[in-house]
Amino acid sequence: MYGFRYRGRHSSEFGVDLLSYTINSPELREYEEEVPGLPGIVDYGTEWSKRSIDMQIDITPTAKPFKVQQSKILNWFKPTLPAGILVFDEIPDRFYYAKFTGNLGIQQFGTYGTFEFAMKCTDPFIYGPEQIVENTITSNPESIFVVSAGTEPTYPVIRLQNAGNNTINGFSLTIISEVE
């Protein structure tokens, strides 16, 4: 069984197994207006909105009453806190900023129970460890091309270090953003 880590704690700490999850595509916010007498619409653009993740979990029965375990899980999810980092065991190098939303749908059978619920990602993007590091030591002018395979344009972090006694003369830096 797979689990997940949320707010730095693993689901196994709560006796929770992840039965299934669905990472939905982010919603879209479309800005448009209908103008009388004009065919179609005026499109002012589109932006990414929130993303939802639907999850189904079960609780391993213990000697503790089911409602006590349920309360511990609700306290862990605590929707009044800001979004926390959510990582699934199946994809441990990617994470989401998510928070509990909606209701905790419960099906209880004695000391066993399953829950269906949704997590809301107000930041719809998936984050991961992608880093492209290009170490170049040169005394002559040189062009360096670095390509990121991410899905969204991302600003680079460029660090220049002068190890010698000379200043950097005639330096130019061009960042080209190509969106396919």
Side-chain angles (χ1 to χ4, degrees):
M1 284 275 165
Y2 287 113
F4 61 96
R5 182 170 295 282
Y6 184 60
R7 297 189 196 277
R9 300 188 70 186
H10 195 271
S11 57
S12 60
E13 295 178 44
F14 297 90
V16 169
D17 290 319
L18 180 62
L19 299 177
S20 67
Y21 68 98
T22 303
I23 301 169
N24 298 298
S25 297
E27 295 175 15
L28 295 176
R29 258 192 321 260
E30 299 182 88
Y31 301 104
E32 57 188 40
E33 184 177 356
E34 291 184 20
V35 178
L38 180 69
I41 59 165
V42 176
D43 185 357
Y44 295 113
T46 304
E47 295 176 333
W48 294 112
S49 188
K50 65 184 178 182
R51 173 193 300 265
S52 67
I53 300 175
D54 301 320
M55 299 173 67
Q56 184 179 18
I57 60 173
D58 73 355
I59 296 178
T60 305
T62 65
K64 294 179 184 175
F66 182 82
K67 295 298 181 189
V68 170
Q69 289 181 281
Q70 177 185 348
S71 294
K72 286 182 179 183
I73 292 168
L74 285 172
N75 192 44
W76 176 36
F77 290 158
K78 201 163 195 162
T80 56
L81 294 176
I85 293 177
L86 173 64
V87 179
F88 293 100
D89 290 354
E90 189 175 23
I91 44 175
D93 63 340
R94 302 282 182 236
F95 65 91
Y96 303 84
Y97 291 106
K99 67 185 288 181
F100 174 77
T101 187
N103 294 318
L104 192 60
I106 304 166
Q107 292 187 4
Q108 182 180 351
F109 311 98
T111 59
Y112 175 78
T114 62
F115 297 91
E116 292 182 6
F117 61 97
M119 300 292 270
K120 170 177 66 175
C121 303
T122 56
D123 176 345
F125 301 112
I126 305 166
Y127 292 91
E130 181 179 296
Q131 292 184 8
I132 302 169
V133 178
E134 178 75 33
N135 289 323
T136 303
I137 299 172
T138 181
S139 59
N140 298 319
E142 183 177 338
S143 294
I144 301 169
F145 295 95
V146 179
V147 178
S148 172
T151 59
E152 287 296 313
T154 305
Y155 295 105
V157 175
I158 299 171
R159 186 175 51 168
L160 301 174
Q161 187 173 3
N162 184 2
N165 295 326
N166 299 327
T167 59
I168 301 174
N169 294 318
F171 174 77
S172 66
L173 176 65
T174 305
I175 298 173
I176 301 170
S177 176
E178 293 182 18
V179 180
E180 293 180 15

